[in-house]
Amino acid sequence: MKLLPLTALAGLAASPALAADMAISVEVPRLSVAEYHNPYIAFWLETPERAHVQDLAVWYDTEMRDDEGETWLKDMRQWWRRSGRALDLPVDGLSRPTRAPGTHEMNFSAADFTDLPTGEYRLIVEVVREVGGREMLEIPFQWPPSESQTLTARGEEELGELTLSLSPSSE
Amino acid sequence: MKTTNRALKGALLATAVAAALPAAAHAHRAWMLPSATVLSGENVWLTVDAAAANTLFHFDHRPMGLNNLTVHAPDGSTLEPQNVSQGAYRSTFDVDLVQNGTYNVEVLNDSVSAVYTDENGEEQRFRGTQADFAASGLADRDDVTPSYNTSRTEFFVTVGAPTDMTIQPSGVGLELEPITHPNDLYAGEAARFRLLQDGEPLADQELEVIAGGQRYRDAEDAIPTVSDENGEFEVTWPEPGMYWIHAEVGPGGRNPAPGARSAAYNGTFEVLPQ
């Protein structure tokens, strides 16, 4: 199991919440454009006051020669400002390759959120595509969930359906 | 050289020194335009245009002299600019951003002007750097009162996380001491700076804050800005883009009165979208 980087938790004094699971599903739309590149996407958690809490994943071109993919990370400008610029990339368990159009799922278990206090959060998903556009989606949620729930948001251009599934853990 | 941009001041100046002044020597803004100011990754380069031109940021007048260009690296060392060249309307150079952190790139012209009588009894005017003046022997003469003109044109650029070493004031001329980090500027947010002259806060000083893209609008749309009693001022950026911040003190001009002290500040700041 991998522990995800935790930052900006200072300020949040409450004790860690009860365990729960999280699944994120994101649709990378197939776009009819002359020059298509897979999108860069950052997933992270914020407080309602926009304080960065925890990165979940960043998808970028991890295979380019001389780590050139990292030169475009700044274009996910909110993520870059709130977290990325302070990281020593690549980060194990955080950096992942880009994905082609289609629906992709990521699953997180209770162990990934052992330090996440009870409270209100937002899942933020920021996407940017080379020779393309940028878009940012958010889904507010309560942690830990009291019952299983599925929350959704929908992008206009660069993202299709975004789904956040939460369920109380059986642990 | 001093640049001034207020029409009235320019007109007065022109009247006073018209005989000595080539037509192109006054009333132009000095600025540098970096290709970006917030960067990620390794092996990244910066490319920069430098010009004196009225319209921000369009090359319409003449290139900026780069003799006094310094690139301050995040660790406090200086780097050699690469591919330095001078075109008809702009100078350009590149910087290999080999370190992570915040760089300061500045052109600091620190000049001395003095009228003196030469060995033949004829009146001459000295113009040069402080070092030239010290070496000229004029500094030791009781009958020579020099005037000083310090002009700083600068910007900041950050690779990775912002750092603080290169945003510390130097104590020379006019400068901005950032309270908000100069590579952490976003539309709709306020940024705070302290205006200093020779290291001391400069209170009640008017500044010009003007967005680029000026060619494509009718009005200058300067954001009215005055430093407070602590030399501090705040700008709430209305839109993303490149902005020019300018302040000047003293009489300026090419033939200042003996003892005059003039200083100008020209900074370029990039404001990112939310």
Side-chain angles (χ1 to χ4, degrees):
Chain A
M1 258 181 298
K2 292 163 184 161
L3 283 179
L4 291 163
L6 286 166
T7 56
L9 277 173
L12 296 172
S15 57
L18 296 171
D21 295 330
M22 178 187 292
I24 296 170
S25 154
V26 60
E27 179 192 359
V28 175
R30 188 169 299 280
L31 298 171
S32 178
V33 293
E35 181 182 345
Y36 181 81
H37 300 270
N38 289 344
Y40 281 31
I41 310 184
F43 304 79
W44 74 97
L45 303 182
E46 285 184 356
T47 67
E49 295 76 36
R50 308 216 64 180
H52 177 271
V53 174
Q54 178 172 346
D55 284 328
L56 299 177
V58 53
W59 299 358
Y60 64 100
D61 195 335
T62 51
E63 302 300 315
M64 285 179 84
R65 197 160 49 89
D66 298 332
D67 295 328
E68 202 193 323
E70 292 179 12
T71 63
W72 308 105
L73 289 174
K74 65 176 189 321
D75 293 338
M76 292 182 285
R77 54 184 182 248
Q78 286 300 327
W79 175 74
W80 185 247
R81 179 188 194 187
R82 296 180 194 286
S83 172
R85 68 189 188 185
L87 301 178
D88 188 9
L89 293 154
V91 176
D92 282 349
L94 180 65
S95 300
R96 304 182 188 196
T98 58
R99 311 286 180 91
T103 298
H104 305 282
E105 239 182 83
M106 290 189 293
N107 290 291
F108 301 92
S109 71
D112 295 320
F113 305 106
T114 48
D115 293 329
L116 190 65
T118 297
E120 286 178 47
Y121 297 95
R122 292 173 181 180
L123 167 69
I124 310 288
V125 178
E126 183 175 20
V127 56
V128 64
R129 190 168 47 83
E130 187 180 350
V131 209
R134 173 188 172 274
E135 200 162 1
M136 202 158 84
L137 297 182
E138 60 179 65
I139 297 181
F141 65 95
Q142 180 76 35
W143 184 264
S146 53
E147 56 187 356
S148 292
Q149 55 187 156
T150 301
L151 306 165
T152 62
R154 192 168 181 84
E156 290 179 6
E157 293 288 339
E158 299 294 338
L159 281 180
E161 184 101 329
L162 172 69
T163 306
L164 173 65
S165 304
L166 301 167
S167 54
S169 171
S170 50
E171 289 174 32
Chain B
M1 180 181 305
K2 175 76 173 181
T3 63
T4 177
N5 50 49
R6 296 185 182 91
L8 178 61
K9 201 166 184 176
L12 292 172
L13 192 68
T15 309
V17 295
L21 207 60
H26 60 99
H28 288 92
R29 291 166 166 155
W31 43 262
M32 285 192 278
L33 183 64
S35 51
T37 64
V38 175
L39 294 155
S40 60
E42 291 165 23
N43 309 313
V44 284
W45 283 76
L46 177 75
T47 189
V48 183
D49 295 310
N54 276 341
T55 316
L56 299 167
F57 292 94
H58 304 285
F59 321 109
D60 62 9
H61 184 50
R62 60 183 162 83
M64 181 186 290
L66 296 178
N67 288 341
N68 300 318
L69 169 66
T70 309
V71 178
H72 299 278
D75 68 358
S77 63
T78 58
L79 297 178
E80 249 343 270
Q82 308 289 315
N83 306 323
V84 179
S85 76
Q86 182 168 311
Y89 284 170
R90 61 171 170 165
S91 300
T92 61
F93 59 94
D94 297 336
V95 181
D96 187 0
L97 301 170
V98 292
Q99 299 175 19
N100 272 4
T102 300
Y103 296 71
N104 172 245
V105 180
E106 68 171 359
V107 173
L108 181 63
N109 294 320
D110 204 0
S111 65
V112 181
S113 170
V115 176
Y116 64 98
T117 309
D118 67 12
E119 59 270 27
N120 301 320
E122 290 180 24
E123 194 165 273
Q124 304 285 352
R125 181 173 283 274
F126 169 91
R127 283 197 189 89
T129 64
Q130 303 238 22
D132 292 342
F133 185 67
S136 69
L138 294 171
D140 302 326
R141 283 173 52 170
D142 290 340
D143 62 333
V144 175
T145 305
S147 58
Y148 298 91
N149 192 342
T150 305
S151 141
R152 169 178 282 103
T153 303
E154 70 172 357
F155 65 88
F156 300 90
V157 55
T158 295
V159 182
T163 55
D164 286 340
M165 181 173 279
T166 56
I167 68 173
Q168 305 303 323
S170 67
V172 177
L174 279 185
E175 55 193 329
L176 292 194
E177 181 182 8
I179 298 171
T180 306
H181 195 283
N183 293 135
D184 207 11
L185 309 177
Y186 292 84
E189 297 183 8
R192 207 163 173 80
F193 303 88
R194 187 178 297 115
L195 179 65
L196 305 176
Q197 183 175 16
D198 298 330
E200 297 298 321
L202 183 59
D204 305 320
Q205 173 65 41
E206 277 187 42
L207 295 108
E208 292 186 18
V209 181
I210 303 175
Q214 217 185 339
R215 188 196 291 169
Y216 309 112
R217 61 180 189 261
D218 292 335
E220 183 174 86
D221 291 339
I223 302 168
T225 306
V226 182
S227 65
D228 67 14
E229 68 269 24
N230 300 314
E232 295 179 17
F233 65 95
E234 195 171 272
V235 180
T236 301
W237 312 105
E239 302 283 343
M242 289 284 186
Y243 285 78
W244 187 71
I245 299 185
H246 172 78
E248 59 186 65
V249 296
R254 215 167 134 71
N255 297 300
R261 283 183 178 271
S262 300
Y265 177 85
N266 306 295
T268 303
F269 295 86
E270 186 178 28
V271 175
L272 296 177
Q274 286 288 346

